[in-house]
Every structure is written in structure tokens, then in C-alpha cells.
Amino acid sequence: MIEDLELNDGDTVKILAAQSRERNEEISLTHWDGRIIKGDYDVPELTQEISKIADLTEQKDVSIFGIVSKLQDIKTFQRKADDSEGKLRNFDILDDTGSIRVTVWGKDTELPINKGDVVKIIGGDVRFDDYTSSGYSMNTNFNTQITINPNNLSVEEMDLFDKLREQLRPISIGKVEEMDEDGIEVDVIGRIISISDENQFQRDDGSVGIVRSAVFADETGKIQLSFWDAKAQEDYEMGAAYQIENARTRLGMYDVDLNIGSASRVIKLTDEEASARFIPELSTLEKNDLYKYEN
């Protein structure tokens, strides 16, 4: 019904024949066999207190509004209480003052969120977090409202998010090759022009790790990728185009490589998507002197 009515924050509705109940000093309405009618009704103006990300401190029931600047894959875990499987997903939200890591749980992990989407979160909980650059992170809960790409943005908000979105575009491999710092997160697009088999190794703690190497290219250069553990075990197609998000630079003696770990995303592009992003065909890359190997 919410999808059919295309409801957004600030819309006015009339609810007919609803049933009410009170629990924990809160009244809830359920429509059951009643009706919900969207219209232009004379009701008080909706006011929401949206916090700027730079102003956040440890507190509950916080609302923020921004653009998804980083997105990770869904992760599964076993709950200790009953050994059941749970799911979580992390993504970063950016506004014009800063960014914060957000964690969603359960069914919310299946929300169709993409990097560059505008997201409004109403009722999240902010806590201290030593593992984030801002020192804080946000957890959602059962009562949190998450809206993706609301269609009631103002012109000023659309202009701001367009400017922020420009900062999130993938960079060329040629620019990655010019970097001189370890651990910088980058997004790149290109084609896999060679890939090795998996190799196992033993870590200092006795656990077994897996690594797999590939060469990735665009029209500006080529770079070596190192896929680790679960990412190394995925299927990759030689010659296919991919968008790689959240890869980390690793400086070698002469070259810059990219590490693809658990926080990275590897997205295979269709032929149409690759063409729209002007990624050269494999045959074109192979003819380029830039990609010939010395004997």
C-alpha cells in the first residue's frame, strides 16, 4: 500500500476505520479493513530535526540525510544466543559536513541501496566507534525509517547531492598508478585482462588464507589486483568489465597494486553498462602497446 500510494515524508493522508491500541504509553493505528487516502488535507506542517553529520554525538533517535558514499556487501553471522543466522550491512552516508558509518540489520540489508543514492534515516542510534574515521557510527533498529531517493527534494538539496555525487566517480587506473600512499580507498572500472589460480598460504596465527592475482586495465593503464579470502573464491570472467569499489592501494617497490578484501565490492558490468562508461573492448586493450609485457 505504501508503494501504491507513493508516500513520502510530509505527505498528508486520511485514515478511515482504523483500529487503535496502546502499548508502552504509545498509541498505534492499524488500518486492517479500513482505507488510507492520500490528499491535500489541512494539518499542521511536518517539522523534522535533521542533524548535520559533523554535529553528531553519542545519542539515540537521531535523523540524518545524505548520500551513500561507500557501500559494503551483506554479511552473515551466527547469533550466540540461539545459533540462528543474522545479516548486517554497512554503508557510509555523506553530507556537506562529513560522513558516518551506518549499520542496518535483518531485512533492511535487502533494501536496494546503491552508491550515490540519497538516503534519509529517521530514528537511528549514534555511538562511539574507534574503528571509523569520524569516531562515531550509527545503528538502525526496528523503529528506524529508511527512505531511499525521496522524490520531494528541494532544488538546493538536489544541487548539493549532485556536487557530492561528483566526488564519488571512479578514477582512472592511470591516476591510481600516480598515487604514493598506502591504504587509500579508490573505485575503478575496467576489464580483467589476465587472472591467476587461487593460492593458499598460512598466516602467523595458523589460519589458512587465500589470495588470487589479476591484471586490470582501462585506456589509461593496467594495475595488479590482489583478491583475498572470500573475494578470491568468487568467479571472475577473463575479459569482462567490472566496477571495483573500496579497493585499497598497496605500494610496491616500483608499482602500485590494489587489494580487494572483505570491505571491497566487485560488480560485473553488462556490455551495455561497459559501453555507456566508455570501457574499451578487450581486443582494443590487447592491441594497445601499453599492455604488452616485456620478455
Side-chain angles (χ1 to χ4, degrees), residues 1 14-20 29-37:
M1 180 173 286
K14 179 186 291 186
I15 302 176
L16 305 176
Q19 297 186 8
S20 66
L29 292 180
T30 55
H31 72 279
W32 293 96
D33 295 326
R35 296 177 62 200
I36 299 177
I37 305 170

Side-chain angles (χ1 to χ4, degrees), residues 58 101 103 127-139:
E58 191 170 37
R101 174 70 49 80
T103 302
R127 64 181 183 182
F128 291 114
D129 194 329
D130 291 332
Y131 298 99
T132 63
S133 57
S134 67
Y136 294 95
S137 62
M138 173 177 279
N139 262 306

Side-chain angles (χ1 to χ4, degrees), residues 13 27 87 101 113 197 201 209 213 224-225 239 247 250 272:
V13 297
I27 297 177
K87 295 191 295 183
R101 174 70 49 80
I113 297 176
D197 294 329
F201 63 94
S213 297
Q224 180 168 303
L225 308 178
R250 182 185 63 185
E272 292 78 11

Side-chain angles (χ1 to χ4, degrees), residues 198-213:
E198 299 174 15
N199 287 316
Q200 294 188 353
F201 63 94
Q202 191 168 28
R203 295 188 174 92
D204 292 340
D205 61 3
S207 62
V208 176
I210 303 173
V211 65
R212 191 179 188 188
S213 297

Side-chain angles (χ1 to χ4, degrees), residues 189-196 212-218 223 225 227 235-242 244 266 279 282 285-286:
I189 56 175
R191 293 186 186 274
I192 291 178
I193 61 174
S194 70
I195 189 163
S196 69
R212 191 179 188 188
S213 297
V215 177
F216 198 63
D218 66 8
I223 195 166
L225 308 178
F227 297 99
D235 292 329
Y236 301 107
E237 181 182 341
M238 167 62 180
Y242 292 88
I244 300 176
V266 183
I279 302 174
L282 178 62
L285 294 174
E286 290 175 333

Side-chain angles (χ1 to χ4, degrees), residues 25-57:
E25 300 182 352
E26 181 178 84
I27 297 177
S28 301
L29 292 180
T30 55
H31 72 279
W32 293 96
D33 295 326
R35 296 177 62 200
I36 299 177
I37 305 170
K38 179 179 176 180
D40 186 14
Y41 302 110
D42 184 16
V43 297
E45 189 73 21
L46 172 69
T47 57
Q48 290 179 333
E49 184 177 346
I50 304 295
S51 300
K52 289 292 187 181
I53 291 176
D55 297 333
L56 294 177
T57 59

Side-chain angles (χ1 to χ4, degrees), residues 215-235:
V215 177
F216 198 63
D218 66 8
E219 72 278 6
T220 67
K222 68 178 187 293
I223 195 166
Q224 180 168 303
L225 308 178
S226 295
F227 297 99
W228 298 91
D229 298 322
K231 288 294 188 294
Q233 296 177 291
E234 295 182 9
D235 292 329

